[in-house]
């Protein structure tokens, strides 16, 4: 190989080679290669591992999860209710075990993040607090083609406040003939309708196109016009390096079962910016776990909020849906977002390079080509919505996903995917084309 992995990391447009031997050399030089061993890779009926490129939908299981889960079950067996204090990891403050690592991943202060509930629930809870429409200012800005759950959540919030989504929802659409949004166009819409916008709520990385929006600029412009700004980071958390505190984002929500490998339907997360903490004039749906820890068990009449994002918690910790996240976060903490995103840039760059080498008329990549504008996912649009292509690669051992009307999403995850995975996938795709 002519160019060393470390040099590739510093190149804006790395030069790759289209051979299996080259992919294997990159794997040998990859400082994260051993992390693959920390995960279970699903196996096909013939005993071979799948080519798993679907970590954007459900991350793989860290091997350590089972041990930690068994410890919780044993503690419940042994201690019953006393496990809240006596368990190896006491259940009473269980959510606190995640704060430090999550704050690091999300670029937040520890006081600003909390793990709780599930994603869509958290989105509603955040909108209860930060979507406060008036007749003059009640519009919400979303990206057209937002994840359906997000769309249902904002529509129903608008109706809940007595407004009509058909007039109150502004959907940012790409220019004719384009697939992704231009930042300048987003900022222009915000500037143009600024005094009617109550909330900007965008998916940080769009689930369909894989586009990573300029969250800092959007937040800044949103604040200039007097709007609140929140993000759904389901596809961003653990995938791209966000800086929620420094960017002054008002709130954010995310799940942990995609790039954070915490298992199906696992506990989700929320961020509330420091400037909104400890305030008494914010409307909020409240529950006992948001109450000040010193007085929580005095069962007093009046709610005393914890002066952190924990004030938004409702219930005591669902321990079994949180434990897998402990295993996964240990790995993330060891590596850090910097190394992950460095490898991600190369791995996805390699995928893009190989796809372009196919020179196929039947497919095209709709994800932005600039690596600053994407995470690890590439969305491949298939001509004439031909799902047969997806079915063919699936039959050959690739796990990816198909999104109507015409996209195959491929996510090489830097934590456990290899350059060889990427090479194998493109070989299979080539055969099927
Ligand atoms: C994955 C995802 C969801 C799923 O919501 P749940 O409440 O976890 O079922 C919602 N929104 C976006 C943007 C997602 O990517």
């Amino acid at each position: 190989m002519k160019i060393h992995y470390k040099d590739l990391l510093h190149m804006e447009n790395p030069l790759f080679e289209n051979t299996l031997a080259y992919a294997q050399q990159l794997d040998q030089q990859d400082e994260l290669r051993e992390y693959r061993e920390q995960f279970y890779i699903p196996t096909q009926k013939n005993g071979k591992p799948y080519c798993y490129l679907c970590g954007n939908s459900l991350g793989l299981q860290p091997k350590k999860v089972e041990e930690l889960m068994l410890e919780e079950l044993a503690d419940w067996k042994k201690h019953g209710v006393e496990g809240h204090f006596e368990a190896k990891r006491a259940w009473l403050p269980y959510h606190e075990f995640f704060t430090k690592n999550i704050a690091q991943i999300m670029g937040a202060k520890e006081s600003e993040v909390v793990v709780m509930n599930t994603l869509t629930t958290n989105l509603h809870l955040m909108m209860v607090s930060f979507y406060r429409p008036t007749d003059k200012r009640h519009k919400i800005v979303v990206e057209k083609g937002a994840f359906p759950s997000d769309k249902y959540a904002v529509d129903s919030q608008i109706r809940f406040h007595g407004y009509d989504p058909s007039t109150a929802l502004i959907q940012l659409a790409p220019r004719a003939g384009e697939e992704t949004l231009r930042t300048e166009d987003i900022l222009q819409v915000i500037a143009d309708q600024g005094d009617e916008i109550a909330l900007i709520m965008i998916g940080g990385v769009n689930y369909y196109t894989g586009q990573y929006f300029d969250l800092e600029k959007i937040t800044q412009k949103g604040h200039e016009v007097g709007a609140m700004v929140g993000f759904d980071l389901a596809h961003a958390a653990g995938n791209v390096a966000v800086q929620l505190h420094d960017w002054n984002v008002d709130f954010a929500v995310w799940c942990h079962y995609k790039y954070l490998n915490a298992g199906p339907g696992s506990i989700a997360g929320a961020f509330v910016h420091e400037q909104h903490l400890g305030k008494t004039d914010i409307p909020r749906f409240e529950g006992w776990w948001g109450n000040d820890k010193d007085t929580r068990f005095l069962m007093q009449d009046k709610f005393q909020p914890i002066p952190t994002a924990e004030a938004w918690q409702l219930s005591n910790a669902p321990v079994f849906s949180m434990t897998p996240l402990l295993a996964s976060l240990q790995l993330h903490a060891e590596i850090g977002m910097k190394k992950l995103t460095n490898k991600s840039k190369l791995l996805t760059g390699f995928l893009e390079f190989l796809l372009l080498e196919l020179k196929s008329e039947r497919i095209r990549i709709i994800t932005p080509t600039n690596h600053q504008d994407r995470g690890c996912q590439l969305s491949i649009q298939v001509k004439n919505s031909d799902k047969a292509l997806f079915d063919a690669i699936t039959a050959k051992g690739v796990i990816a996903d198909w999104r109507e009307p015409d996209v195959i999403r491929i996510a090489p995850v830097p934590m456990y995917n290899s350059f060889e995975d990427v090479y194998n996938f493109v070989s299979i795709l080539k055969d099927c084309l």
Side-chain angles (χ1 to χ4, degrees):
M1 181 163 64
K2 293 156 214 140
I3 297 164
H4 196 274
Y5 189 99
K6 289 235 166 65
D7 300 321
L8 289 176
L9 285 177
H10 299 294
M11 296 168 71
E12 191 58 23
N13 291 303
L15 298 166
F16 297 109
E17 288 173 31
N18 185 357
T19 64
L20 176 60
Y22 178 83
Q24 288 168 338
Q25 279 187 54
L26 288 180
D27 282 329
Q28 274 164 23
Q29 296 178 0
D30 168 16
E31 61 180 342
L32 304 185
R33 69 181 173 282
E34 277 158 20
Y35 284 91
R36 184 182 179 85
E37 300 305 316
Q38 308 282 335
F39 290 85
Y40 290 111
I41 315 275
T43 42
Q44 309 177 45
K45 285 205 188 85
N46 64 12
K48 283 197 200 155
Y50 277 106
C51 183
Y52 194 87
L53 296 165
C54 208
N56 55 339
S57 197
L58 185 71
L60 292 179
Q61 183 185 143
K63 289 182 179 165
K64 181 95 177 167
V65 166
E66 192 170 344
E67 178 192 325
L68 298 183
M69 291 293 282
L70 289 173
E71 283 175 2
E72 301 305 346
L73 289 172
D75 276 338
W76 182 23
K77 201 190 233 175
K78 184 168 163 202
H79 300 295
V81 70
E82 296 303 324
H84 284 99
F85 311 96
E86 301 296 330
K88 183 172 176 195
R89 292 172 290 274
W91 303 329
L92 190 74
Y94 207 86
H95 69 275
E96 296 171 22
F97 304 147
F98 303 88
T99 312
K100 181 161 171 263
N101 291 335
I102 290 291
Q104 245 160 36
I105 291 170
M106 305 311 289
K109 294 192 171 182
E110 291 186 26
S111 58
E112 294 172 321
V113 294
V114 61
V115 296
M116 58 180 190
N117 312 313
T118 49
L119 171 54
T120 308
T121 308
N122 288 344
L123 182 53
H124 276 297
L125 291 178
M126 290 295 124
M127 285 197 282
V128 163
S129 294
F130 299 108
Y131 174 52
R132 292 144 73 182
T134 61
D135 282 346
K136 168 118 180 55
R137 188 188 276 281
H138 63 259
K139 295 190 176 174
I140 300 184
V141 178
V142 296
E143 81 274 32
K144 187 160 184 281
F147 196 93
S149 196
D150 299 24
K151 174 77 168 33
Y152 305 150
V154 292
D155 278 357
S156 59
Q157 286 278 339
I158 288 170
R159 286 195 307 269
F160 177 76
H161 286 283
Y163 299 101
D164 178 358
S166 72
T167 51
L169 195 67
I170 303 172
Q171 300 192 61
L172 301 164
R175 294 185 187 186
E178 297 184 10
E179 300 296 333
T180 51
L181 286 162
R182 299 191 193 192
T183 304
E184 67 210 78
D185 292 354
I186 300 175
L187 302 182
Q188 194 61 52
V189 169
I190 298 171
D192 289 347
Q193 307 195 48
D195 47 6
E196 297 182 347
I197 299 171
L199 173 67
I200 297 164
M201 209 305 290
I202 294 177
V205 173
N206 181 267
Y207 82 103
Y208 190 81
T209 63
Q211 179 177 18
Y212 176 26
F213 297 110
D214 191 330
L215 306 186
E216 184 176 17
K217 285 209 183 114
I218 293 171
T219 307
Q220 201 180 10
K221 182 56 90 183
H223 287 168
E224 266 172 38
V225 302
M228 288 283 180
V229 183
F231 296 113
D232 182 332
L233 301 178
H235 280 264
N239 178 26
V240 290
V242 293
Q243 293 297 334
L244 299 182
H245 176 82
D246 287 349
W247 296 345
N248 280 316
V249 173
D250 292 295
F251 72 87
V253 292
W254 60 90
C255 58
H256 295 116
Y257 52 80
K258 292 171 180 167
Y259 296 105
L260 289 161
N261 310 310
S266 55
I267 198 77
F271 163 91
V272 180
H273 198 277
E274 191 173 43
Q275 73 198 38
H276 302 300
L277 301 177
K279 283 193 179 165
T280 49
D281 59 347
I282 291 188
R284 178 171 49 214
F285 284 174
E286 293 167 346
W288 72 322
W289 233 249
N291 192 84
D292 182 66
K293 292 166 196 173
D294 292 334
T295 59
R296 185 187 283 151
F297 289 96
L298 301 179
M299 302 298 189
Q300 287 167 339
D301 229 21
K302 195 163 159 4
F303 183 83
Q304 292 184 311
I306 305 175
T308 71
E310 293 163 287
W312 276 264
Q313 290 179 119
L314 300 176
S315 303
N316 71 94
V319 169
F320 300 138
S321 97
M322 294 173 138
T323 307
L325 183 58
L326 277 180
S328 167
L329 287 185
Q330 276 173 9
L331 302 173
H332 270 269
E334 257 170 57
I335 302 173
M337 284 307 293
K338 180 86 187 120
K339 284 184 184 168
L340 272 181
T341 52
N342 273 346
K343 175 176 172 187
S344 183
K345 181 182 133 189
L346 281 192
L347 197 59
T348 298
F350 188 52
L351 172 62
E352 180 178 43
F353 164 79
L354 294 177
L355 288 171
L356 294 175
E357 290 264 295
L358 292 175
K359 298 190 174 50
S360 169
E361 296 282 306
R362 274 176 73 192
I363 57 166
R364 81 181 168 117
I365 303 169
I366 59 169
T367 307
T369 47
N370 187 343
H371 69 84
Q372 277 97 1
D373 300 332
R374 69 187 186 202
C376 71
Q377 171 188 324
L378 292 185
S379 301
I380 303 172
Q381 191 176 52
V382 185
K383 213 166 187 181
N384 302 325
S385 303
D386 179 7
K387 188 161 183 264
L389 180 63
F390 174 76
D391 294 337
I393 61 169
T394 305
K396 286 185 183 272
V398 174
I399 298 190
D401 88 3
W402 173 263
R403 286 290 142 143
E404 294 296 340
D406 59 2
V407 158
I408 300 174
R409 302 186 305 167
I410 300 293
V413 173
M415 178 76 96
Y416 49 73
N417 279 122
S418 63
F419 290 85
E420 189 169 343
D421 284 337
V422 166
Y423 186 86
N424 288 341
F425 160 68
V426 179
S427 306
I428 291 171
L429 183 67
K430 188 175 179 183
D431 289 347
C432 297
L433 281 166

